[in-house]
């Protein structure tokens, strides 16, 4: 009896062990593929508890979630011969677990390699402006290129491909910045020119309106005065009408002079200088010629003091005329003074 109980216990334990080996748990996001002695079974196990043969059967679980795979930076040359570095990211999922396990080994690594080669080929066919401005077109072309070798043979679906970054050389970045600056400056100049054109048209219309209505010009003048006085300045500038200045100029031309206290400017006509007239150059200084020695004038001998004089002052004058009183002597001296002065002046050289 004891031996029978031992045998039953052994069989029970063996059954529990075999049951544990035959039960597999499949998650909701997984698919189970069973191989029996290395041969693929056609049935694919869904999520839940699944029972397989403990001996000879082997289950492989494949995730059907969307996987994200980063592509390392790839250096490539564009169609317009610009060297750049591009990295991207690939979103894919398994749609056929059997093909993903049977037809390809390590399908994530295979997707990474084909993504790198496809990225280089697509960049080589596009130019730099397309890469920078139309990334959606490049992403769609990348997805189309990668779908062909992965979806049908490998059972993988490329859901999305995105270019993350484009690294340009330093010299190319400087050239592009100069180009963008020049483009912005051109737009600014065009906009400023359009504004000036529209403003000139509006000013022309306003000038025509003011010319038709003389009171409008006066109102504009008063408005300008109000605008200036609103700033509380100590100096008030009064614009003077140009028409009044022209009126005074016309009056001055007619009167040819000052009229009613207004000072006008006359045009002074200067004689035209002929171009043929030559201004003589200054002559060289002549050597100094020594002046001739002029003999000193003879000093008249002093009058004889011993000669008798009358009390009235009578004496003989310079012309042999007899001078009597003091008044006649003074008159004779005044008459002879210029002659004596001219005689004493030295001759000019």
């Amino acid at each position: 009896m004891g031996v029978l109980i031992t045998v039953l216990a052994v069989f029970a334990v063996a059954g529990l062990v075999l049951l544990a080996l035959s039960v597999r748990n499949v998650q909701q996001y997984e698919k189970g593929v069973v191989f029996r002695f290395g041969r693929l079974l056609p049935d694919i196990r869904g999520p839940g508890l699944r029972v397989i043969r403990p001996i000879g059967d082997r289950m492989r679980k494949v995730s059907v979630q969307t996987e994200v795979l980063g592509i390392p930076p790839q250096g490539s040359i564009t169609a317009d011969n610009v060297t750049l570095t591009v990295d991207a990211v690939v979103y894919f999922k398994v749609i056929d677990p059997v093909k993903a396990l049977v037809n390809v080994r390590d399908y994530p690594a295979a997707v990474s390699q084909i993504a790198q080669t496809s990225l280089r080929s697509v960049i080589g066919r596009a130019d730099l402006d397309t890469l920078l401005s139309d990334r959606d077109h490049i992403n769609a072309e990348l997805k189309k290129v990668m779908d062909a070798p992965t979806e049908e043979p490998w059972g993988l679906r490329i859901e999305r491909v995105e270019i993350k970054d484009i690294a340009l050389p330093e010299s190319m970045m400087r050239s592009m910045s100069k180009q963008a600056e020049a483009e912005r400056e051109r737009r600014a100049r065009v906009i400023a020119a359009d504004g000036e054109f529209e403003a000139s048209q509006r000013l022309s219309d306003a000038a025509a309106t003011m010319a038709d209505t003389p009171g409008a010009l006066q109102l504009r003048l008063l408005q300008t005065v109000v605008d200036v006085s609103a700033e509380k300045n100590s100096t008030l500038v009064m614009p003077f009408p140009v028409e009044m200045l022209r009126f005074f100029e016309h009056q001055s031309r007619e009167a040819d002079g000052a009229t009613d206290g207004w000072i006008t400017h006359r045009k002074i006509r200067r004689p035209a200088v002929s171009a043929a007239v030559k201004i003589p150059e200054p002559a060289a200084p002549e050597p100094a010629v020594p002046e001739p020695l002029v003999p000193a004038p003879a000093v008249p001998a002093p009058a004889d003091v011993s000669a008798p004089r009358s009390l009235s002052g009578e004496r003989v004058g310079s012309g042999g005329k007899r001078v009597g009183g003091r008044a006649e002597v003074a008159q004779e001296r005044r008459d002879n003074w210029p002659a004596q002065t001219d005689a004493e002046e030295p001759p000019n050289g």
Side-chain angles (χ1 to χ4, degrees):
M1 188 66 182
V3 176
L4 181 61
I5 294 174
T6 302
V7 173
L8 292 177
V10 171
F11 277 104
V13 171
L16 291 175
V17 172
L18 292 176
L19 181 62
L21 293 176
S22 61
V23 175
R24 294 289 184 273
N25 183 22
V26 181
Q27 300 294 333
Q28 182 67 37
Y29 55 86
E30 293 176 338
K31 296 290 184 181
V33 180
V34 180
F35 295 90
R36 181 170 293 172
F37 294 105
R39 186 176 181 180
L40 177 67
L41 296 181
D43 296 336
I44 298 177
R45 305 299 192 268
L49 291 175
R50 300 301 175 183
V51 180
I52 61 175
R53 291 181 182 182
I55 299 174
D57 288 355
R58 185 179 178 184
M59 179 181 286
R60 293 285 302 274
K61 300 177 183 179
V62 180
S63 175
V64 294
Q65 291 177 316
T66 300
E67 297 187 21
V68 182
L69 180 63
I71 303 175
Q74 302 295 315
S76 180
I77 301 177
T78 61
D80 50 353
N81 298 327
V82 178
T83 304
L84 45 80
T85 304
V86 182
D87 55 348
V89 59
V90 180
Y91 301 88
F92 71 96
K93 67 182 298 185
V94 178
I95 58 175
D96 192 345
V98 176
K99 293 181 180 180
L101 290 176
V102 176
N103 295 347
V104 62
R105 180 181 180 182
D106 192 7
Y107 60 87
V111 172
S112 176
Q113 293 298 321
I114 197 170
Q116 295 179 25
T117 56
S118 300
L119 182 61
R120 289 187 177 183
S121 63
V122 170
I123 291 175
R125 292 195 299 268
D127 54 1
L128 181 61
D129 294 338
T130 305
L131 288 175
L132 297 177
S133 61
D134 194 4
R135 289 194 180 184
D136 293 339
H137 176 71
I138 302 299
N139 295 336
E141 190 173 355
L142 271 173
K143 181 179 180 300
K144 182 180 179 181
V145 171
M146 294 179 62
D147 274 338
T150 57
E151 184 173 2
E152 190 64 27
W154 297 349
L156 305 174
R157 177 179 295 171
I158 306 298
E159 294 183 344
R160 194 173 183 180
V161 182
E162 291 286 343
I163 295 179
K164 292 195 299 184
D165 188 22
I166 299 177
L168 297 173
E170 193 69 22
S171 59
M172 181 59 64
M173 294 178 65
R174 288 195 298 267
S175 301
M176 293 177 64
S177 63
K178 291 181 180 179
Q179 180 183 1
E181 184 179 358
E183 180 66 21
R184 293 291 181 181
E185 186 176 357
R186 182 187 68 83
R187 292 180 183 178
R189 290 183 178 180
V190 170
I191 293 173
D194 292 341
E196 291 291 340
F197 178 71
E198 294 180 2
S200 63
Q201 288 184 340
R202 294 290 183 259
L203 289 175
S204 178
D205 296 340
T209 304
M210 290 184 179
D212 296 339
T213 307
L217 184 61
Q218 186 67 22
L219 293 176
R220 182 58 181 168
L221 176 61
L222 297 177
Q223 183 65 33
T224 304
V225 174
V226 171
D227 294 339
V228 173
S229 61
E231 299 180 0
K232 299 181 180 179
N233 295 328
S234 59
T235 304
L236 181 61
V237 179
M238 287 291 294
F240 200 77
V242 181
E243 290 77 4
M244 190 172 294
L245 292 177
R246 292 176 179 175
F247 172 75
F248 289 133
E249 182 180 2
H250 181 67
Q251 293 295 329
S252 63
R253 288 180 179 178
E254 291 181 355
D256 195 18
T259 304
D260 296 336
W262 292 88
I263 300 176
T264 57
H265 299 275
R266 297 182 180 179
K267 295 183 179 179
I268 301 175
R269 296 184 179 180
R270 298 182 178 179
V273 180
S274 176
V277 177
K278 295 184 179 179
I279 300 175
E281 297 182 356
E286 299 180 357
V289 179
E291 297 181 358
L293 298 177
V294 179
V299 180
D304 189 6
V305 297
S306 59
R309 295 188 178 182
S310 61
L311 296 177
S312 61
E314 182 181 356
R315 67 180 180 86
V316 179
S318 59
K321 184 180 180 182
R322 197 171 187 84
V323 182
R326 293 181 179 179
E328 294 179 357
V329 173
Q331 182 65 31
E332 192 271 339
R333 289 180 180 179
R334 284 196 298 269
D335 295 338
N336 296 334
W337 178 259
Q340 295 176 2
T341 304
D342 296 338
E344 292 177 359
E345 290 184 357
N348 294 331

